[in-house]
Amino acid sequence: MIKKGIIIPILFVLLIPPIASLILGYEFGGHSVNNVPTAIVDYDNSTLSRDLVEKIRANDTLDLKHYGQRDDDIKNWIHSGEVAAGIIIPKNFSTDMLKGQTPPKILVIYDGAQMAMAGTVKGKVSEILETIKSGYLIQVMQGELELTSAEAQSYIQPIAFTTRFLGNPTKSSPIFFIQGILISIAQIAVFILGVELVTKKDENFLHYLSKGVFAGLVGTVSMVVALGIQVWWFKSPFNGSVITALLLTVLYMIGMATLGMLLTLASKKDKFETIKSSTSLSATMLLAGYTYPLVAMPGALQTVAKYMPFTYYALPLRDVALLGTTFQQVLPDISWLIKFIGLGWIGILMVCKSSQLRSLINRFISLPQRKETEKV
Amino acid sequence: MKLMECIRKDNKMLVNLFMLPIIVPLILCYVFGGIYPENIPFGVADLDNSSLSRSIVQGLENHPGLDVSYYTTSQTELQDSINDKKVNGGIIIPANYSLDLSQKKAPKAILLADGTNLMLANNALGYCSAVLKTFNAQFQLSFFEGNNMLPQTAKQKMASFSIGERVLYDPQMSYLCNLIYIVNPLVIQMYFLNLFILPAFIEEKKVLAQDKISLKRIVSRGKPLLMRIGIMGTVISIANFIGFCIAGLFYGIPVKGTLLAYFVLMMVFLLALAVMGLVLMLFINERNYSYFVGFYSIVYVLFILTSGAVWPDYMMPKGFYPVVKSIWPYAHVALPMKFLSLKGIGWDVLWPYIRDGLCFTFCWLMIAISLHALKLHRKQKALHP
């Protein structure tokens, strides 16, 4: 029977990750960078520069908020956070370009304090400007070298290339990190449930084993609902096998519940101390290289990441969802998670047996004393 | 005298909350101090194997950002190697690439990247396209010159206009600068609220519940509590500034604001947190306090994501950000703390954030007082019907 005190942690596990999934899905629903407030200073005010401004205005990524008169206008707007990017078209831009003597320079200024948009805006602005530049070069080639339009086109970018982001073709940041955030939330909830399931008087290993499996399954249900919301409601991609993802989830959640139980049993302090320390689990997302690449971290931390369960669940799960990674490919991760659970169970067994052994020794030591007391 | 008493009462917590804002930035700097990921594993599928394609591959091999470690002659194999995480990106140079180029058939190379880690993917493709653009420029130049155009004229035509880029405040757009200024208030929030404010309020609640409650008694009990909060706030605010300064000194992160600006911003935030603690006391007592700490530990990552400092408010759905700002004070400190450190914003820019923080505190204080008064009134009524 479920004890009254356990109901709240169970509700935490079942409700918080799905609600968080709804909140995050709603917040990042667009999946892409858009409406970036932008300012422009057009010193040239020619047909060409106005055409350029029009192209920028028509782009969904940029939201042209202000037209400035001086360079400082853009700097001030960026400083106050009113705009995140600014474009400065120099004086005589059009004539300098057509004369071809001193190539004019369009300056694009970004707010480095807004990393989320800067990368995408950089790409969009250079895309627009490169299109204009290509148009001009085609005109030159057609006029001066008497080439046909198709021929000129082939010379604009002789070594042409296309880019493909496997698993994330829209280069969406939310697709890249939301799953990890949900895992981070669920793992702490399951860990706390594991902690709450420990009763100091209970020394039966099998009880703990079944409790760990129970908590893991509750966590799995929650995680499935949370990820389901992302996939079905907010249209996040899921290209892999559901069974593989489910297996990884079950193993990880059981592992986290087991860890919670083991740490509580092994610790001499009360449960509250273990609950307080659970916050540090969310750091595993950062340390496992989920967002910031491991290759850029110090060597010692790259080694640490190899011993973190998050590495063997969140990263392969993202690969399953986005790249469609197969069961065979995640087999090493599954094997690692099984070993992790196994070690957790061995730990619990040792704690249970050691306390049984301790009580046996205590009973043995106190036996002659008790006999003497009885004699007296 | 009373001051010393307060300090003595919270001495351990004072030490912890002084050390925490100093240690956290240093740890973050150590972990995320790397700026550009270098030697990104990269694969090549050269299906052409001409002198041109080999030159391109050599160009990629010489780039310090890429570690060309995987060679294949099959497109599928390259794709599989990305899926297997052997490499983070790769290039496919199609068959007859060089021949098609000479026949003006506009062949296209394909750059592939593992989209599951955008940071690495963007860097890998950025490095690769830089190499290809160099080849492009060489090609265009030789083409113009081959068509009897003077080298100087050819260069001018090609550089019809150039695009200059400037990234203000954090030219490297580093992960560290995006994170460090918003993580410190989050960690402070957790310790200040969960381990100082709430236990202190629970203790007071217990004491007040033992006797008949009067306004005079609440005021007399409240004064030392306010003093304790003031001392704690001062220590944390100073430690927060010291923490950033030390990180700036050793790891070069920008700390452009003044001590006063940091101090005021942090004090307003801590005041708002104290008021939220007062609101939470309506529901929290000694028995369910551990559940609240558990709940907070589960959801605390959401504070950062909804604060507007990671994902700007203009990219959120309409109405979302105002709701976030009206229910929790973290959103009032995360963004201005980042702007203050990176941009060194003056009081004119900082003031709206401080004003919003103060308005938030005032509104919630009124709500807390009304609700506590109502609860008290009901309790008294139940005792003396």
Side-chain angles (χ1 to χ4, degrees):
Chain A
M1 206 183 103
I2 297 171
K3 284 182 185 169
K4 206 179 165 186
I6 300 299
I7 292 172
I8 293 173
I10 290 177
L11 287 177
F12 281 173
V13 177
L14 285 174
L15 296 178
I16 297 175
I19 292 171
S21 179
L22 283 171
I23 294 171
L24 294 177
Y26 180 65
E27 183 187 351
F28 299 102
H31 284 302
S32 58
V33 176
N34 51 25
N35 298 326
V36 176
T38 310
I40 203 157
V41 175
D42 182 4
Y43 287 115
D44 189 34
N45 200 18
S46 62
T47 319
L48 188 67
S49 70
R50 283 196 295 273
D51 182 41
L52 180 78
V53 174
E54 206 44 54
K55 282 201 167 76
I56 289 166
R57 198 212 303 270
N59 198 292
D60 281 346
T61 310
L62 308 171
D63 175 15
L64 217 47
K65 285 254 182 211
H66 295 292
Y67 293 90
Q69 301 296 320
R70 306 169 294 130
D71 291 10
D72 282 350
D73 288 343
I74 286 189
K75 280 181 192 161
N76 292 338
W77 286 322
I78 289 182
H79 193 71
S80 63
E82 277 183 74
V83 301
I87 300 165
I88 300 170
I89 304 171
K91 210 174 176 183
N92 304 326
F93 168 72
S94 170
T95 45
D96 282 352
M97 196 170 122
L98 295 171
K99 274 184 196 164
Q101 280 167 350
T102 44
K105 194 177 196 175
I106 291 179
L107 187 63
V108 190
I109 303 173
Y110 304 99
D111 182 357
Q114 298 193 35
M115 186 186 165
M117 64 80 215
T120 314
V121 174
K122 264 175 126 175
K124 286 287 170 192
V125 170
S126 59
E127 208 175 88
I128 295 168
L129 296 178
E130 288 293 342
T131 313
I132 290 173
K133 193 173 173 176
S134 301
Y136 165 75
L137 278 176
I138 288 174
Q139 275 178 8
V140 170
M141 286 180 173
Q142 283 179 301
E144 295 191 17
L145 305 177
E146 293 172 357
L147 295 178
T148 63
S149 171
E151 279 174 329
Q153 193 83 46
S154 69
Y155 282 112
I156 290 304
Q157 203 184 7
I159 299 182
F161 55 87
T162 49
T163 52
R164 272 173 59 199
F165 280 72
L166 299 178
N168 190 0
T170 52
K171 291 190 264 179
S172 156
S173 305
I175 285 177
F176 157 62
F177 67 72
I178 283 185
Q179 211 179 66
I181 300 287
L182 293 176
I183 294 169
S184 188
I185 289 170
Q187 70 170 355
I188 299 174
V190 172
F191 177 87
I192 290 173
L193 179 59
V195 173
E196 295 285 4
L197 282 169
V198 173
T199 38
K200 290 275 180 187
K201 284 174 193 168
D202 191 357
E203 286 162 5
N204 191 330
F205 167 69
L206 287 176
H207 282 179
Y208 284 122
L209 200 141
S210 56
K211 280 177 182 178
V213 173
F214 166 75
L217 292 177
V218 174
T220 306
V221 171
S222 171
M223 203 56 216
V224 167
V225 175
L227 292 180
I229 288 170
Q230 287 300 316
V231 174
W232 288 302
W233 202 330
F234 297 108
K235 307 292 172 212
S236 280
F238 190 91
N239 304 318
S241 142
V242 176
I243 292 169
T244 310
L246 203 62
L247 185 63
L248 280 167
T249 308
V250 171
L251 291 174
Y252 185 69
M253 291 301 159
I254 293 174
M256 290 319 288
T258 309
L259 184 69
M261 288 194 297
L262 176 63
L263 290 182
T264 316
L265 283 167
S267 158
K268 281 175 186 165
K269 293 173 184 168
D270 65 351
K271 284 181 191 178
F272 181 59
E273 293 299 320
T274 322
I275 292 173
K276 271 198 298 188
S277 67
S278 64
T279 322
S280 54
L281 278 176
S282 53
T284 54
M285 182 178 155
L286 296 174
L287 296 174
Y290 195 83
T291 49
Y292 186 76
L294 268 183
V295 283
M297 285 189 203
L301 291 173
Q302 293 180 25
T303 314
V304 170
K306 286 181 192 162
Y307 297 96
M308 279 195 282
F310 195 89
T311 312
Y312 300 92
Y313 172 57
L315 275 81
L317 186 71
R318 184 167 65 183
D319 293 343
V320 170
L322 301 184
L323 292 172
T325 303
T326 59
F327 180 78
Q328 261 78 20
Q329 285 169 310
V330 297
L331 216 50
D333 303 293
I334 288 173
S335 145
W336 195 95
L337 288 174
I338 290 170
K339 281 179 206 160
F340 172 62
I341 295 171
L343 278 175
W345 284 346
I346 291 169
I348 290 176
L349 184 70
M350 279 168 70
V351 174
C352 288
K353 291 293 164 195
S354 73
S355 58
Q356 277 176 6
L357 200 71
R358 218 180 301 131
S359 63
L360 211 73
I361 292 166
N362 285 342
R363 217 179 300 160
F364 182 73
I365 292 168
S366 61
L367 200 66
Q369 287 175 346
R370 212 184 303 157
K371 275 182 183 170
E372 268 182 36
T373 322
E374 274 169 13
K375 269 183 192 173
V376 170
Chain B
M1 203 58 195
K2 274 182 182 172
L3 187 79
M4 286 314 289
E5 251 174 58
C6 291
I7 293 173
R8 211 173 297 131
K9 191 165 187 180
D10 298 318
N11 57 359
K12 268 188 189 170
M13 191 54 72
L14 272 171
V15 173
N16 287 343
L17 280 169
F18 180 76
M19 294 310 290
L20 203 76
I22 296 175
I23 293 168
V24 169
L26 289 175
I27 294 173
L28 289 174
C29 285
Y30 172 69
V31 178
F32 305 114
I35 296 165
Y36 291 114
E38 291 210 324
N39 295 322
I40 299 172
F42 201 76
V44 168
D46 183 4
L47 313 183
D48 186 34
N49 201 19
S50 61
S51 68
L52 172 69
S53 69
R54 284 195 295 273
S55 310
I56 293 174
V57 172
Q58 202 179 2
L60 294 170
E61 284 168 341
N62 292 338
H63 197 287
L66 300 171
D67 172 19
V68 184
S69 53
Y70 185 79
Y71 299 87
T72 175
T73 47
S74 149
Q75 187 170 338
T76 332
E77 275 179 20
L78 182 65
Q79 208 157 324
D80 287 345
S81 72
I82 292 174
N83 284 346
D84 291 340
K85 305 281 163 190
K86 284 180 193 159
V87 289
N88 290 96
I91 183 170
I92 300 163
I93 304 173
N96 302 323
Y97 185 74
S98 185
L99 191 71
D100 288 349
L101 196 70
S102 61
Q103 290 173 356
K104 296 168 201 168
K105 285 184 184 170
K108 269 188 179 174
I110 300 168
L111 307 188
L112 296 178
D114 178 1
T116 58
N117 195 327
L118 278 184
M119 217 169 165
L120 276 180
N122 281 327
N123 276 298
L125 292 195
Y127 298 146
C128 188
S129 59
V131 172
L132 292 179
K133 276 178 184 168
T134 317
F135 276 93
N136 254 328
Q138 284 171 8
F139 249 86
Q140 283 175 343
L141 203 61
S142 58
F143 168 74
F144 279 127
E145 286 171 14
N147 280 281
N148 300 325
M149 201 181 266
L150 288 170
Q152 184 62 25
T153 323
K155 272 184 192 166
Q156 281 169 356
K157 294 289 174 199
M158 274 173 59
S160 50
F161 69 88
S162 57
I163 305 158
E165 283 180 345
R166 268 183 69 195
V167 179
L168 301 178
Y169 315 119
D170 178 24
Q172 283 123 359
M173 288 198 287
S174 62
Y175 190 78
L176 178 67
C177 285
N178 198 41
L179 203 70
I180 192 164
Y181 309 109
I182 55 177
V183 167
N184 232 22
L186 189 73
V187 176
I188 289 170
Q189 170 179 285
M190 184 174 71
Y191 278 80
F192 181 73
L193 182 74
N194 287 351
L195 305 181
F196 173 68
I197 286 286
L198 291 180
F201 282 177
I202 288 172
E203 196 188 308
E204 286 303 317
K205 199 177 171 181
K206 227 164 74 180
V207 173
L208 284 171
Q210 284 166 358
D211 246 329
K212 201 184 168 189
I213 297 167
S214 65
L215 189 67
K216 201 178 160 188
R217 196 147 178 270
I218 293 173
V219 172
S220 74
R221 298 277 329 164
K223 269 185 193 169
L225 189 63
L226 270 176
M227 193 181 268
R228 282 171 67 195
I229 294 171
I231 294 167
M232 196 60 82
T234 310
V235 167
I236 293 171
S237 305
I238 293 170
N240 178 57
F241 182 69
I242 295 174
F244 286 153
C245 286
I246 294 175
L249 198 68
F250 288 106
Y251 291 94
I253 63 151
V255 188
K256 291 183 180 166
T258 60
L259 169 63
L260 186 65
Y262 279 103
F263 186 81
V264 172
L265 192 61
M266 191 47 87
M267 281 303 266
V268 170
F269 173 55
L270 296 175
L271 196 67
L273 277 180
V275 168
M276 289 317 282
L278 205 60
V279 177
L280 289 169
M281 283 321 293
L282 283 161
F283 321 101
I284 294 173
N285 52 41
E286 221 174 352
R287 274 167 291 142
N288 60 22
Y289 167 59
S290 72
Y291 289 129
F292 175 77
V293 174
F295 173 78
Y296 181 91
S297 305
I298 298 167
V299 301
Y300 98 116
V301 73
L302 290 177
F303 292 118
I304 250 187
L305 288 172
T306 53
S307 67
V310 175
W311 193 251
D313 60 328
Y314 51 80
M315 294 203 279
M316 294 178 191
K318 268 188 185 149
F320 184 86
Y321 192 55
V323 170
V324 172
K325 276 172 78 178
S326 62
I327 54 174
W328 199 256
Y330 180 72
H332 295 283
V333 73
L335 200 59
M337 187 67 84
K338 192 167 152 184
F339 284 174
L340 184 63
S341 304
L342 284 174
K343 300 181 176 184
I345 50 172
W347 289 101
D348 54 330
V349 182
L350 194 61
W351 170 243
Y353 294 106
I354 293 173
R355 185 193 58 209
D356 287 356
L358 288 173
C359 285
F360 173 93
T361 309
F362 180 75
C363 291
W364 277 104
L365 184 65
M366 289 301 116
I367 293 170
I369 290 172
S370 319
L371 292 175
H372 276 288
L374 190 73
K375 199 176 169 186
L376 219 64
H377 176 70
R378 278 188 182 170
K379 209 172 163 185
Q380 301 276 17
K381 216 174 166 183
L383 284 172
H384 314 286

